[in-house]
């Protein structure tokens, strides 16, 4: 405690009952979430077993020094240990009345189950006697000791847990009993001897010289050695593969480190007046105001989460004989915690011989539906403000509400039912291991991961799978918690599934149905149903709570939200989601199918009459397209982008043509047909580009083939004229893509204006159609002051801007090297998903320069980033007028834009 940097912090009471806690909930960066909230609970008078927390920074210092302890820290830990022993009136490892401690990880951001924990630390061949004497319960004491050896061996020494599980199974078989609880004290004592032997046989002496005596590795008896090794193991678990993967998945920085909480043990397995459980102060799946969770009588720590025994619902606890008082107190604690943290909390607790102890609390993870409901209810209850309610919902999570559901009209038979652990429906091939799930997804097929119960090693498979199905475990089991966090549909605890992971099949009890690897199955995480076969899925409608929160977000939002859509159905859909216009109508998407032939015949033929025919056909088709779009968005702006295809997207592939010609020759096709194909191939070859993305596309195409934009502008104008005459209010705008120099825009604008004037006079209507440009090339961005003189609006095409700013081919790099870059943290995130700061700087420069010469210019973004919440924040800061994104992202963008505006005035309440 003498060094400048404080690395260890006490929490809980001293021997006199005074709170000696040194931390609080605001210190998560130092104490980790668990440590900070243990401190906070102690501060507000809740019963917390005393202990101390070693800071996250110490973990990083230790790791950065190559797993070497910083000077003096071990001494400080020793001081805190002695202080804890004095507070508890017991010593760790003492023979008469030993203090046992847990050693738990706890990072600044929640990483459930990803890092290590050791329980019952301090037991050895001497202290076991004290534990027996104090508890007068030899069975409990021996069980604690065997659990400790098992956990220490697997967590700290990295031994395979199966070595121990197999020994337990062998013992049960020898005794002819079915469950662990049927083993006697003597059986467990025997197991302790066996476990120590397993330890000796499997821990390599060369790695652990300090554990060798008389030439043999022995299970450490010295509590100081146990404690130091356990803390080092928890530090080390920060960088274990599953924690690293979880951080990558959840965008958590690698340099935060984990704190280590050393805490006096309390026992939920001291008989029938003891229990342990996990709970939420409200329902994390629906948001209903009800106590929610599971408990087990006479069980320890991880048993509930591990799903080893079936749990009971928390609401029953206060009715259980001997647990009434603790159960009632727990409900009071729920209320205290909610009022204090002003949010739904999740809790771990233990009742030791009737006395309630709080082991953990944190703001609880929840589904999107629950997040919305809780935010709205808490606002109504006066617990939080409307602004806070808006900040409470993670925009990314809204995606869950847009998850598919089983079609109500579909016909299907439910073959099994489990718990509805994480909402949404999923269809895919049944896969019985995480590795198979990953391989199936990599092969481009969808799968559902089917497991008895998941564990953190299954994470990669859980991420890969469309859905997760388990036959065991409750709604707070690993599978349920992780699936909900990821927004992956999950059905858990479907006990009628008898899974044989080795054989890769699951029999359904009471039937002759067997689900085999590769069989299509469907699960509904909203109802808990399991179906053999693929059920038709539909997307749910947005109503109720989501509407309320989005309307509240709209009250605060200053940035507009539009949609990228190129057909009337998508336009209508996005309008239903609240889009305030179309920010990008990609007209090349209107040239697929039959129309591809038409545009091909225009591009590849020099004969004027053929070209004119193609143009006439396209004009008619496009006028109809635009009519539908403008009608769907009546009264709202629709930005139509003139044709912007890299040409190869419109032409047949030379390789396919080659194959076709060879086939025709082999099959003896008529010579004239072959000659025609060859002519086509040579035309396609002549137009081939090495870098089509950087070639003849965008405004360059329009300049080379002025008839194309003239046709499109005429179609836009005629559709608008027709709608005006029908009494509607079309608001088209014309956008010119891929401009890099002002004269490109000047030329095309002039040509477009001529057509608009012509159509207006032909149709006898007034057409006020703004003309603007995309900014998607760095040159355009840095000369935006010039370009703005001829643009009514800029729309930032951040897909191409990212491509050209980085020099990354947008069609290739995401599957080629970006994953490696992300893995090695060369890039912090995929710049095609979240706007890169360098690209954002180009956007910012262009906005400033554009406004300097054209103060009225409208500024928007229509790259994919317009639907990414983090990017939306950046665009808000830059001061864009609107973001435009795909229809299903519109609700996310509305919420993200509202939050971006609020964050400026109130800070990010979600970080609380
Ligand atoms: C862009 O480049 O960001 C853009 C919206 O255009 P596209 O994706 O069609 O190239
Ligand atoms: Mg583009």
């Amino acid at each position: 405690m003498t060094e400048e940097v404080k690395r260890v912090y006490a929490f809980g009471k001293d021997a006199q009952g005074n709170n000696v806690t040194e931390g609080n909930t605001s210190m998560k960066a130092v104490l980790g979430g668990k440590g900070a909230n243990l401190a906070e609970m102690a501060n507000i008078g809740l019963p917390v077993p005393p202990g101390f927390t070693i800071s996250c920074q110490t973990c990083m210092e230790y790791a950065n020094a190559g797993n070497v302890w910083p000077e003096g820290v071990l001494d400080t830990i020793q001081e805190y240990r002695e202080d804890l022993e004095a507070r508890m009136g017991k010593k760790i490892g003492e023979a008469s009345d030993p203090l046992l401690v847990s050693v738990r990880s706890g990072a600044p951001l929640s990483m459930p189950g990803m890092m290590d924990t050791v329980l019952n630390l301090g037991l050895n061949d001497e202290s076991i006697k004290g534990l027996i004497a104090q508890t007068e319960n030899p069975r409990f004491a021996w069980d604690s000791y065997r659990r400790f050896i098992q956990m220490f061996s697997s967590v700290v020494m990295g031994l395979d847990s199966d070595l121990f599980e197999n020994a337990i199974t062998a013992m049960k078989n020898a005794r002819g009993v079915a469950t662990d609880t049927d083993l006697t004290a003597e059986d467990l004592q025997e197991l302790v001897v066996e476990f120590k032997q397993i330890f000796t046989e499997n821990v390599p002496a060369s790695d652990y010289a300090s554990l060798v005596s008389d030439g043999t590795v022995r299970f450490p008896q010295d509590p100081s050695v146990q404690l130091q090794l356990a803390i080092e193991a928890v530090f080390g678990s920060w960088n274990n593969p599953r924690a690293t993967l979880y951080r990558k998945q959840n965008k958590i920085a690698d340099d935060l480190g984990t704190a280590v909480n050393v805490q006096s043990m309390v026992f939920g397995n001291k008989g029938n007046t003891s229990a342990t459980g996990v709970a939420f102060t409200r329902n994390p799946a629906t948001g209903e105001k009800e106590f929610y969770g599971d408990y087990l009588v006479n069980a320890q720590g991880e048993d509930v989460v591990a799903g080893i025994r079936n749990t009971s619902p928390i609401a029953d606890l206060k009715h259980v004989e001997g647990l009434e008082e603790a159960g009632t107190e727990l409900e009071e604690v729920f209320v205290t915690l909610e009022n204090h943290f002003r949010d739904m909390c999740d809790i771990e607790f233990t009742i030791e011989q009737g006395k309630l102890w709080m082991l953990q609390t944190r703001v609880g993870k929840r589904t999107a539906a629950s997040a919305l409901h809780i935010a709205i209810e808490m606002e109504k209850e006066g617990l939080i403000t409307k602004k806070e309610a808006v900040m409470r919902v993670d925009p990314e999570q809204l995606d869950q509400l847009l998850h598919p559901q089983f079609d109500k009209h579909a016909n299907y038979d439910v073959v099994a039912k489990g718990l509805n652990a994480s909402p949404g429906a999923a269809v895919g091939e049944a896969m019985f291991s995480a590795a198979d799930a990953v391989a199936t997804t990599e092969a481009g097929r969808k799968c559902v991961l089917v497991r008895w119960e998941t564990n953190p090693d299954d994470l990669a498979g859980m991420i890969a799978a469309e859905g997760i199905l388990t036959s065991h475990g409750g709604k707070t089991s690993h599978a349920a918690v992780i699936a909900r966090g990821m927004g992956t549909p999950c059905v858990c605890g479907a006990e009628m599934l008898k899974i044989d992971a080795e054989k890769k099949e699951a029999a359904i009890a009471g039937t002759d149905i067997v689900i085999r690897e590769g069989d299509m199955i469907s699960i509904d995480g909203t109802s808990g149903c399991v179906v053999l076969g693929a059920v038709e899925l539909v997307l749910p409608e947005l109503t109720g709570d989501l509407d309320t929160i989005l309307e509240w977000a709209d009250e605060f939002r200053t940035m507009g939200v539009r949609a990228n859509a190129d057909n009337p159905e998508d336009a209508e859909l996005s309008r239903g989601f609240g889009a305030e216009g179309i920010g990008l109508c990609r007209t090349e998407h209107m040239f697929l199918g039959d129309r591809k032939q038409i545009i091909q015949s225009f591009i590849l033929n020099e004969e004027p009459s053929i070209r004119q025919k193609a143009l006439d056909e396209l004009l008619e088709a496009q006028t109809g397209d635009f009519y539908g779009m403008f009608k769907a968005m009546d009264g709202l702006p629709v930005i139509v982008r003139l044709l912007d295809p890299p040409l190869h997207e419109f032409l047949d592939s030379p390789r396919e043509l080659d194959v076709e010609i060879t086939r025709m020759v082999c099959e003896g096709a008529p010579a004239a047909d072959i000659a025609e194909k060859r002519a086509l191939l040579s035309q396609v070859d002549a137009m081939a580009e090495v870098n089509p993305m950087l070639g003849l596309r965008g405004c360059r195409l329009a300049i080379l083939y002025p008839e194309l934009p003239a046709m499109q502008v005429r179609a836009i104008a005629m559709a608008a004229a027709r709608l005006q005459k029908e009494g509607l209010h079309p608001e088209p705008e014309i956008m010119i893509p891929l401009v890099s120099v002002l004269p490109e825009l000047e030329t095309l604008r002039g040509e477009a204006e001529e057509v608009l004037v012509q159509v207006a006079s032909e149709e006898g209507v007034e057409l006020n159609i703004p003309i603007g440009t995309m900014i998607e090339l760095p040159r355009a961005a840095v000369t935006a002051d010039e370009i703005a003189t001829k643009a009514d609006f800029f729309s930032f095409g951040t897909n191409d801007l990212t491509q050209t700013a980085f020099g990354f081919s947008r069609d290739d790099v995401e599957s080629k090297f970006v994953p490696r870059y992300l893995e090695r943290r060369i890039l912090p995130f995929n710049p095609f998903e979240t706007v890169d700061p360098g690209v954002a700087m180009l956007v910012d420069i262009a906005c400033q320069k554009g406004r300097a010469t054209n103060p009225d210019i409208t500024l928007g973004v229509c790259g994919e980033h317009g639907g990414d919440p983090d990017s939306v924040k950046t665009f808000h800061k830059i001061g864009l007028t609107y973001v435009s994104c795909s229809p299903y992202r519109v609700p996310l963008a509305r919420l993200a834009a509202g939050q971006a505006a609020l964050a400026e005035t109130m800070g990010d309440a979600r970080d609380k």
Side-chain angles (χ1 to χ4, degrees), residues 459-537:
L459 187 64
M462 297 171 81
I463 293 167
E466 298 289 305
I468 297 159
L469 170 62
T470 71
S471 61
H472 213 86
K475 286 193 195 168
T476 45
S477 65
H478 180 264
V481 171
I482 297 294
R484 271 202 300 276
M486 298 194 304
T488 301
C490 174
V491 173
C492 68
E495 302 206 359
M496 57 291 280
L497 287 183
K498 302 298 165 203
I499 297 175
D500 186 332
E502 291 245 304
K503 279 199 187 156
K504 302 188 175 183
E505 61 181 32
I508 297 176
T511 73
D512 50 9
I513 300 172
V514 178
I515 300 173
R516 299 203 163 79
E517 185 184 47
D519 287 351
M520 286 304 274
I521 60 169
S522 308
I523 62 165
D524 184 349
T526 315
S527 67
C529 293
V530 181
V531 174
L532 189 56
V535 179
E536 194 73 25
L537 301 184

Side-chain angles (χ1 to χ4, degrees), residues 146 150 160-172 180 195 198 308:
R146 75 94 192 152
Q150 184 172 352
D160 185 349
S161 212
D162 282 353
L163 294 170
F164 300 92
E165 288 299 332
N166 293 344
I168 298 173
T169 307
M171 174 70 80
K172 284 194 290 195
D180 297 7
F195 278 16
I198 293 172
I308 290 164

Side-chain angles (χ1 to χ4, degrees), residues 211-279:
L211 302 184
V212 176
S213 62
D214 306 332
T216 306
V217 179
R218 290 181 203 281
F219 186 78
Q221 295 291 310
D222 179 348
S224 301
V225 173
Q226 294 176 354
L227 186 60
Q228 184 175 332
L229 285 173
I231 295 170
E232 288 172 1
V234 175
F235 279 169
S237 68
W238 174 252
N239 283 321
N240 73 31
R242 61 174 193 252
T244 310
L245 175 64
Y246 185 89
R247 287 200 294 276
K248 203 174 111 203
Q249 189 69 18
N250 291 277
K251 297 186 184 170
I252 297 175
D254 280 334
D255 61 358
L256 302 179
T258 179
V260 180
N261 298 291
V262 178
Q263 187 173 26
S264 330
M265 286 289 298
V266 286
F267 293 94
N269 55 345
K270 275 191 178 173
N272 288 339
T273 57
S274 299
T276 187
V278 292

Side-chain angles (χ1 to χ4, degrees), residues 639 733-737 739-750 753 769-775 780 783-796 846-847 849-860 882:
I639 297 189
E733 302 185 17
I734 293 170
M735 178 151 77
I736 296 168
V739 162
S740 48
V741 292
L742 175 64
E744 287 172 327
L745 179 60
E746 246 172 351
T747 306
L748 293 171
R749 182 178 184 120
E753 277 171 345
I769 300 184
I771 299 176
T773 182
M774 293 191 76
I775 301 288
T783 58
D785 44 352
E786 288 173 24
I787 292 175
T789 58
K790 290 289 168 196
D792 297 322
F793 61 86
F794 283 168
S795 179
F796 291 92
C847 287
K849 289 192 163 237
R851 281 206 190 97
T853 53
N854 180 357
D856 296 332
I857 195 162
T858 306
L859 302 165
Y882 68 86

Side-chain angles (χ1 to χ4, degrees), residues 139 168 172 176-184 187 308-309:
R139 193 194 176 283
I168 298 173
K172 284 194 290 195
V177 297
T179 62
D180 297 7
T181 43
D182 295 329
L183 294 174
T184 64
D187 297 336
I308 290 164
R309 277 160 52 194

Side-chain angles (χ1 to χ4, degrees), residues 8 99 235 314 325 337 428 448 505 514 558 583 747 872:
V8 189
L99 171 64
F235 279 169
I314 203 82
E325 220 171 282
L337 284 173
V448 173
E505 61 181 32
V514 178
T558 52
T747 306
V872 169

